[in-house]
Amino acid sequence: MGLEQKLSLKLSQRLVMTPTLQQAIKLLQMTRLELSDIVNEELVANPALEEDEGNAEGTGEGDSPAADAASEGTDEAEGGDKAETSEPEAADARVPEPGMAEREARELDGGQESGGRTTEAEPAAEATGEATAEAAAESAEAFNQIDLEAYFGEYMDGTATAPRMQEEGEEFSLENRAETPPGLADHLTQQLGLSEATGLLREASAFLIGNVDPEGYLRMTLEEVAAGVPCPIECAAKALALVQSFDPAGVGARNLSECLLTQARAANVDSPLLVELVTHRFAELGSKPVTVLARQMNVSVEQLQQAIEWIRQLDPKPGRRYDSSRTIYVEPDVAVVKSEEDYVVLFNDDGLPRLRVSRLYRHMLRANDGALDGEGKSYLREKIRAAQWLMKSLDQRKRTIVRVAESIVKKQRDFFEYGVAHLRPLVLRDVAEDIGMHESTVSRVVSNKWMACPRGLVPMKFFFHSAIASIGGGEDVSSLAVKGKIRSLVESEDPSHPMSDARLSELLARDGIRIARRTVAKYREELHIPASSIRKTDGPPEIDKRDDTAPPEGAEELK
């Protein structure tokens, strides 16, 4: 088979991701914190991009970043004729100097005396002269009110002071500096310094403290400690006992049972029953009813419940109280406010700088004074174009988020009016068809975005749930509303005769909700509700109070 060269033409269609589109997609799925970091990085890296501090409050559509970028692009395309013609106009419109009117009045007055004729400038000259005399009198009176002795006192007393080399202002006080709270390792090291441990025991204890995780647990064995110091295994055991005697109680434990037993001994509540529960029957506490477990251990229900209550008061993670990590609070991207009978979506741009293209560099690019060569002009054009792309991408992100939020508010209006029980089933396709965008775009918008509404601070993904079919062809019900009904049924049941999953499915069917027993069991586990065999007690039902039908953990109720 011979080899030969050919020229061929081929037509094809493909989607090319331009840099502008890539940047817009990247900014769309960012959180507010990530977006703020990106904007600050661009402000540092791009000299043509600057923060507009003077026009922080927009007055119309012309103040939007897109309009600003468009106007700046038009200015960039224009030549230097406009700038040259505007300079004479600006010179003609200059404000006259303060003494110009007075000189003109004197000249007019002199011309009148020489010619013996009256002019129209005579009243103006007299008024100007009177104003000048009054201003001179006020200036002299103000000068007489100055305390010269106090002003020049530091020079009169014969002492010399060094001139200030820095601006006058309030000096920073170290007392106003926020102190970083000590961490768990610092707290344990401080106690080790106050102990009587010396030599190899102190070295092994310091090694143990360095290997305690933020939750307070030691994630290594004594053999590994002895090999890491190195020291005998007996010395490592003594060091572990010393560290476990430090505050907080339970620190240095190698597992949960050892942590709870250490705290129980420190509180003098380590009864044989509690030790037996923590050591051998800890897993059975969440799987067996109290009556069955008390019968198996040959103790009364009251004694068992008292021991369980002591266990609940113990801290399974004693090191968390010394966690000095900074708490990051959630800031909403949009806010929903009720105005008369409608709900209005407001975009939250607090904390995000308002950007503009530097006027200085635009003028340098338009000027033809030879200050910039070809390479410098191409560099400025590239930076100005990058700044305009960023501003347009930010404006596109804002408008897209607002459109998605308005569609959610329109489809979930009953939720804002009546609460979670009236939340309707909603999927990404519904919102995408409503606003004319792709599902992937809607998914990027609702990812890591939060909405502040009269019902609380909720993530935008909170409004998207699957549908549960209703009996009789009625309107479908949201899965979140079904979870709320299951929780209310369990909370109102008789503790001595709890309802099974099949019974809950029957009660939901009476309300018009068609749901299988397996689905009820799945939702019950997601709500952290134990099975009916575990819920059967002589007292009130033991139900986790975390409400998964409400806004998720971390959401704050608005006041």
Side-chain angles (χ1 to χ4, degrees):
M1 179 178 179
L3 299 178
E4 59 181 3
Q5 294 180 350
K6 292 182 179 180
L7 295 177
S8 60
L9 297 177
K10 182 180 179 181
L11 296 178
S12 62
Q13 292 182 350
R14 60 179 181 177
L15 179 62
V16 179
M17 297 284 288
T18 62
T20 308
L21 182 59
Q22 293 178 4
Q23 187 180 51
I25 293 176
K26 181 180 178 181
L27 296 178
L28 188 60
Q29 57 189 0
M30 285 185 178
T31 62
R32 286 178 53 85
L33 185 60
E34 296 173 346
L35 184 65
S36 179
D37 294 340
I38 290 295
V39 171
N40 291 331
E41 290 177 2
E42 289 292 332
L43 285 173
V44 174
N46 192 345
L49 186 66
E50 63 182 13
E51 184 176 356
D52 188 3
E53 299 178 355
N55 297 329
E57 297 180 0
T59 57
E61 296 179 357
D63 294 327
S64 63
D68 193 11
S71 64
E72 288 164 356
T74 305
D75 294 342
E76 180 185 348
E78 293 178 354
D81 298 335
K82 182 177 180 180
E84 294 176 358
T85 55
S86 61
E87 290 180 0
E89 297 176 0
D92 295 338
R94 290 175 184 172
V95 180
E97 299 178 0
M100 186 178 296
E102 185 178 354
R103 288 197 303 269
E104 292 177 355
R106 286 199 300 266
E107 291 174 359
L108 291 173
D109 191 16
Q112 177 187 358
E113 291 178 356
S114 60
R117 294 176 299 175
T118 59
T119 62
E120 296 178 357
E122 182 177 359
E126 294 178 358
T128 305
E130 294 177 358
T132 304
E134 293 178 359
E138 293 178 358
S139 177
E141 183 180 357
F143 182 78
N144 294 331
Q145 293 178 356
I146 299 177
D147 191 357
L148 297 179
E149 294 183 0
Y151 188 79
F152 295 100
E154 56 180 320
Y155 298 98
M156 299 300 183
D157 59 359
T159 59
T161 57
R164 288 185 176 268
M165 302 302 295
Q166 58 184 3
E167 297 181 358
E168 294 287 344
E170 183 180 357
E171 296 183 358
F172 181 77
S173 176
L174 294 177
E175 297 177 355
N176 296 332
R177 185 186 296 272
E179 181 183 3
T180 303
L184 179 61
D186 297 335
H187 183 61
L188 296 177
T189 303
Q190 184 180 7
Q191 297 178 72
L192 178 61
L194 299 176
S195 65
E196 298 179 354
T198 57
L200 197 58
L201 179 60
R202 177 182 290 269
E203 184 179 354
S205 301
F207 183 82
L208 286 172
I209 291 174
N211 287 276
V212 173
D213 64 3
E215 295 180 353
Y217 286 89
L218 179 64
R219 303 301 183 181
M220 61 190 316
T221 62
L222 291 179
E223 290 77 10
E224 294 174 344
V225 174
V229 175
C231 67
I233 191 69
E234 294 79 8
C235 181
K238 291 181 180 179
L240 179 59
L242 178 62
V243 172
Q244 290 182 353
S245 64
F246 291 163
D247 179 76
V251 68
R254 289 161 290 183
N255 50 59
L256 180 59
S257 299
E258 186 178 5
C259 177
L260 298 179
L261 285 178
T262 304
Q263 297 181 50
R265 294 191 185 100
N268 294 325
V269 294
D270 53 336
S271 61
L273 177 59
L274 188 143
V275 174
E276 176 68 18
L277 287 173
V278 173
T279 307
H280 300 99
R281 296 181 178 270
F282 191 76
E284 299 179 10
L285 291 177
S287 60
K288 291 184 178 180
V290 178
T291 54
V292 177
L293 190 60
R295 190 182 313 113
Q296 292 178 356
M297 299 182 66
N298 295 324
V299 295
S300 63
V301 177
E302 291 76 11
Q303 293 177 345
L304 183 59
Q305 288 181 345
Q306 183 179 5
I308 293 176
E309 187 64 28
W310 277 111
I311 294 176
R312 287 175 177 172
Q313 296 179 6
L314 303 178
D315 189 1
K317 298 179 180 180
R320 288 186 303 180
R321 69 184 71 174
Y322 294 96
D323 186 10
S324 58
S325 59
R326 184 172 61 93
T327 303
I328 300 177
Y329 296 95
V330 174
E331 294 184 5
D333 295 88
V334 292
V336 178
V337 181
K338 188 173 184 179
S339 177
E340 296 180 354
E341 298 298 330
D342 296 331
Y343 287 94
V344 182
V345 177
L346 304 176
F347 184 79
N348 181 20
D349 53 359
D350 293 341
L352 298 178
R354 183 179 175 86
L355 305 178
R356 69 177 182 184
V357 178
S358 174
R359 294 187 177 93
L360 173 63
Y361 290 108
R362 281 189 294 156
H363 294 165
M364 289 177 61
L365 187 61
R366 289 200 303 261
N368 296 322
D369 53 1
L372 293 176
D373 54 2
E375 184 178 357
K377 288 186 177 181
S378 62
Y379 174 80
L380 278 184
R381 288 193 188 96
E382 180 183 355
K383 292 300 180 181
I384 290 176
R385 191 178 298 110
Q388 293 174 354
W389 283 351
L390 178 63
M391 295 165 61
K392 291 178 181 179
S393 299
L394 292 176
D395 185 68
Q396 179 72 20
R397 175 184 183 271
K398 173 183 176 180
R399 290 188 283 109
T400 305
I401 292 176
V402 171
R403 289 181 61 187
V404 172
E406 289 176 347
S407 177
I408 292 176
V409 171
K410 180 175 65 176
K411 294 181 177 299
Q412 299 288 3
R413 184 180 179 88
D414 292 342
F415 164 78
F416 297 99
E417 292 285 350
Y418 308 109
V420 181
H422 298 269
L423 194 66
R424 299 180 57 188
L426 184 66
V427 293
L428 297 176
R429 187 186 304 108
D430 299 335
V431 177
E433 294 176 354
D434 184 32
I435 63 178
M437 292 185 177
H438 197 268
E439 293 181 34
S440 61
T441 304
V442 179
S443 176
R444 291 187 179 96
V445 170
V446 301
S447 177
N448 298 321
K449 305 297 188 304
W450 291 75
M451 175 186 292
C453 62
R455 294 290 172 180
L457 181 62
V458 296
M460 296 182 69
K461 281 187 175 181
F462 169 76
F463 299 96
F464 296 89
H465 293 281
S466 58
I468 303 297
S470 59
I471 300 176
E475 187 177 1
D476 294 343
V477 184
S478 171
S479 60
L480 200 65
V482 175
K483 291 180 182 180
K485 291 181 179 294
I486 292 175
R487 174 176 289 276
S488 61
L489 290 174
V490 173
E491 289 179 347
S492 60
E493 69 181 2
D494 185 4
S496 59
H497 297 85
M499 291 180 288
S500 62
D501 296 337
R503 179 59 178 169
L504 292 174
S505 178
E506 294 176 0
L507 294 178
L508 291 174
R510 293 181 181 179
D511 295 339
I513 301 175
R514 181 183 301 171
I515 184 172
R517 183 195 61 80
R518 295 187 301 272
T519 308
V520 173
K522 173 185 174 182
Y523 289 168
R524 177 180 53 77
E525 293 175 357
E526 292 178 357
L527 294 172
H528 308 284
I529 299 177
S532 58
S533 59
I534 302 176
R535 299 199 308 268
K536 187 175 181 180
T537 59
D538 295 334
E542 300 280 344
I543 299 177
D544 193 344
K545 294 303 181 182
R546 287 178 291 182
D547 190 358
D548 288 359
T549 62
E553 186 177 354
E556 298 178 359
E557 194 70 21
L558 299 181
K559 296 183 180 180

